[in-house]
Amino acid sequence: MAGAGERKGKKDDNGIGTAIDFVLSNARLVLGVGGAAMLGIATLAVKRMYDRAISAPSSPTHLSNSGKRSWEEPNWLGSSSRLLSPDMKSNVSRSLQTLPTDPSAFETDAFQPSKAKTSAKRSQVELKKSRLRMSLQEKLFAYYRRKAAIPAEEQAQARQAAVDICAELRGFLHAKLPDMPLRDMYLSGSLCDDLQVVSADHIQLIVPLVLEQNLLSCIPGEDTIMNIPGFCLVRRENPEYFPRGSSYWDRCVVGGYLSPKAVADAFEKVMAGSINWPAIGTLLDYVIRPAAPPEALVLEVQYERDRHLLIDFLPSVTLGDTVLVAKPHRFAQYDNLWRLSLRPAETARLRALDQCDSGCRSLCLKILKAVCKLNPALGHLTASQLTNVILHLVQEEPYWSQDVLADRFLQALRGLIGYLEAGVLPSVLYPKANLFSELTPEEVDELGYTLYSSLSEPEVLLQT
């Protein structure tokens, strides 16, 4: 029986020694594959195997509950005087001494000098970034030429159609409603400023109202119970001295305030019920018809067989230095508010900045506008919001040129994502106004998710 026990113990010793020799002889291989994490695991394994070998009980009956020797630290009931053989101790010592301690040894190429390897890796990363940037830049220019840019001939035809209709409408209003106090109408919008993209399909016809300055005053939206900066109430003043009827526009006063909805309704009756649009269209060789509600103050114009134009009929009031337009808030509960007109000043600032270089800001804006117009998931983003994103970025990045278009495009995307994450995009010209105030939380989340998902591969946005 004693002989059997000795043979059993020798078999166990040979098994442990074989395992230690295998792990240590392959330590370099393990470290080369697994890096620093595998070093810790291998070192711990060697240490514990070493401990088991010199302190394992001589009796095979001291096993864990599962019937196998546990890798956890055991509470041995006995001890053994057996030690590792001299050869095994020599292997352990030699292997531990050769384990690398420099963290750079765990990089992909552990046999190169660390400084040279780090420099080479940094150069490769910079080269890869440069190639990606150049590739994106080429795709942005190609996308602009293919999708965003509008032929000059198409823009000219659309503008001419709008000018012709504006002249006819002006003449009709002066002839049929001579007592309506209006200033000269004029065209406005991205088509006039060469900022329209994809197709020349919309323009604004501004209709300025003449107001008595002593009868009406402007109240900023943040000073009202509704607390909406960027919008205003126009209050009727001095009713005790100038009773109702003293002004032509008193007929559009609701609850003591000049209502943009009431003004729009008055013009809708004229446009839909008094003007013979088929006759005017025949005269001009266009097809003209008022749009159906809710786009009540919009004219639909077909000026070529396959080209259409929407003309927004937009009443406007000026009180002091404040210009307001009757463009309704997206949510119906605020339909008594006039919108602060900031677009002309925003466009003027963008144009002034672009005069200093090659116009990269406008180019970047037009690409963003085309991406949002052609991608249904980004359709809620407006030209005003995108313009302000560019103007905010200009304050951070003064250097703009076409050779950094890709960088500025990516920065604009990241900036837009940051504003969506915060739920606030302040107007550059009127910081109190949040340009996301007309978006629902669900829409903000969807927009942010779509843009964030594209950051790793922005070319996806250019495939629409």
Side-chain angles (χ1 to χ4, degrees):
M1 295 298 293
E6 289 175 0
R7 286 192 298 270
K8 181 71 173 177
K10 185 175 182 181
K11 182 178 180 180
D12 286 346
D13 286 343
N14 290 338
I16 294 174
T18 301
I20 293 175
D21 286 340
F22 176 79
V23 172
L24 294 178
S25 63
N26 288 276
R28 285 187 178 275
L29 177 60
V30 173
L31 291 172
V33 176
M38 294 304 297
L39 171 63
I41 296 174
T43 304
L44 179 60
V46 169
K47 176 181 180 300
R48 289 186 174 175
M49 292 172 65
Y50 187 98
D51 292 341
R52 301 301 186 274
I54 62 175
S55 60
S58 58
S59 172
T61 60
H62 293 292
L63 302 176
S64 65
N65 294 334
S66 61
K68 299 179 180 179
R69 297 188 187 274
S70 173
W71 284 97
E72 301 296 332
E73 290 294 337
N75 293 321
W76 296 112
L77 297 180
S79 62
S80 173
S81 60
R82 291 181 298 171
L83 302 174
L84 290 175
S85 67
D87 291 340
M88 293 175 66
K89 286 196 290 184
S90 176
N91 286 339
V92 172
S93 177
R94 184 166 54 252
S95 298
L96 290 176
Q97 289 174 3
T98 59
L99 294 179
T101 58
D102 188 351
S104 63
F106 305 116
E107 300 290 344
T108 303
D109 189 355
F111 297 98
Q112 291 184 1
S114 59
K115 291 184 179 180
K117 176 179 56 56
T118 302
S119 177
K121 184 176 181 180
R122 185 181 299 111
S123 299
Q124 291 176 358
V125 171
E126 292 300 326
L127 180 60
K128 183 178 180 181
K129 287 182 178 180
S130 177
R131 289 175 177 174
L132 290 175
R133 183 166 57 249
M134 292 303 297
S135 175
L136 177 60
Q137 186 134 313
E138 293 172 358
K139 292 178 180 178
L140 287 172
F141 281 114
Y143 180 82
Y144 173 75
R145 293 189 296 268
R146 187 179 72 256
K147 295 283 190 177
I150 305 174
E153 178 265 343
E154 180 182 346
Q155 295 187 62
Q157 285 187 333
R159 282 194 292 264
Q160 186 59 52
V163 168
D164 293 341
I165 293 172
C166 178
E168 289 294 326
L169 185 57
R170 183 189 300 116
F172 176 86
L173 291 176
H174 283 313
K176 298 297 183 179
L177 300 170
D179 59 334
M180 180 181 286
L182 297 174
R183 293 190 176 91
D184 284 341
M185 295 178 285
Y186 60 92
L187 296 171
S188 180
S190 57
L191 183 58
C192 299
D193 301 319
D194 192 28
L195 288 174
Q196 196 156 124
V197 295
V198 182
S199 62
D201 58 5
H202 63 277
I203 198 169
Q204 293 177 341
L205 178 58
I206 306 298
V207 185
L209 281 57
V210 176
L211 302 179
E212 296 82 359
Q213 298 291 321
N214 61 326
L215 297 185
L216 296 164
S217 65
C218 179
I219 304 175
E222 59 268 27
D223 295 337
T224 69
I225 192 172
M226 290 174 281
N227 189 25
I228 303 183
F231 291 81
C232 296
L233 286 173
V234 176
R235 183 168 60 191
R236 176 65 158 87
E237 300 288 359
N238 302 320
E240 62 277 13
Y241 300 109
F242 302 95
R244 188 179 181 90
S246 301
S247 170
Y248 178 90
W249 300 110
D250 279 345
R251 66 193 68 188
C252 299
V253 172
V254 178
Y257 297 92
L258 181 64
S259 169
K261 186 177 185 304
V263 172
D265 290 342
F267 279 107
E268 180 188 1
K269 292 177 182 178
V270 175
M271 293 177 61
S274 302
I275 301 179
N276 189 347
W277 290 114
I280 294 177
T282 301
L283 178 66
L284 299 175
D285 196 22
Y286 303 143
V287 177
I288 309 172
R289 57 180 176 272
E295 302 295 337
L297 287 179
V298 176
L299 293 177
E300 298 178 350
V301 182
Q302 180 181 347
Y303 60 95
E304 291 288 342
R305 176 172 298 180
D306 58 345
R307 293 180 181 174
H308 295 78
L309 178 68
L310 297 179
I311 302 179
D312 295 327
F313 193 83
L314 204 57
S316 170
V317 299
T318 301
L319 294 169
D321 296 332
T322 303
V323 180
L324 307 171
V325 291
K327 186 176 182 179
H329 193 284
R330 189 182 175 198
F331 303 139
Q333 64 265 36
Y334 304 120
D335 60 5
N336 209 36
L337 291 166
W338 292 78
R339 187 184 297 267
L340 192 62
S341 178
L342 298 173
R343 185 196 172 281
E346 293 168 350
T347 303
R349 176 173 292 193
L350 187 69
R351 289 295 187 198
L353 292 167
D354 270 349
Q355 287 180 355
C356 303
D357 45 48
S358 57
C360 183
R361 301 165 192 81
S362 295
L363 178 62
C364 187
L365 172 61
K366 291 168 80 171
I367 293 174
L368 284 172
K369 289 174 67 174
V371 166
C372 294
K373 185 173 183 177
L374 296 174
N375 190 328
L378 301 175
H380 289 299
L381 289 172
T382 67
S384 176
Q385 293 163 349
L386 297 176
T387 301
N388 276 268
V389 168
I390 296 295
L391 291 177
H392 280 296
L393 182 57
V394 166
Q395 295 175 347
E396 302 171 5
E397 293 288 351
Y399 175 71
W400 287 69
S401 68
Q402 293 191 4
D403 60 344
V404 295
L405 175 63
D407 290 334
R408 298 297 177 262
F409 179 79
L410 291 175
Q411 286 176 303
L413 285 182
R414 295 189 190 100
L416 182 54
I417 291 170
Y419 294 125
L420 287 166
E421 184 179 8
V424 176
L425 173 58
S427 167
V428 170
L429 300 181
Y430 198 76
K432 295 179 182 179
N434 176 18
L435 300 180
F436 288 157
S437 65
E438 294 178 84
L439 293 174
T440 65
E442 293 76 17
E443 290 167 345
V444 170
D445 289 343
E446 181 181 359
L447 291 168
Y449 174 78
T450 301
L451 291 172
Y452 184 80
S453 300
S454 70
L455 274 185
S456 61
E457 193 176 356
E459 293 85 352
V460 173
L461 296 175
L462 309 180
Q463 296 174 1
T464 54

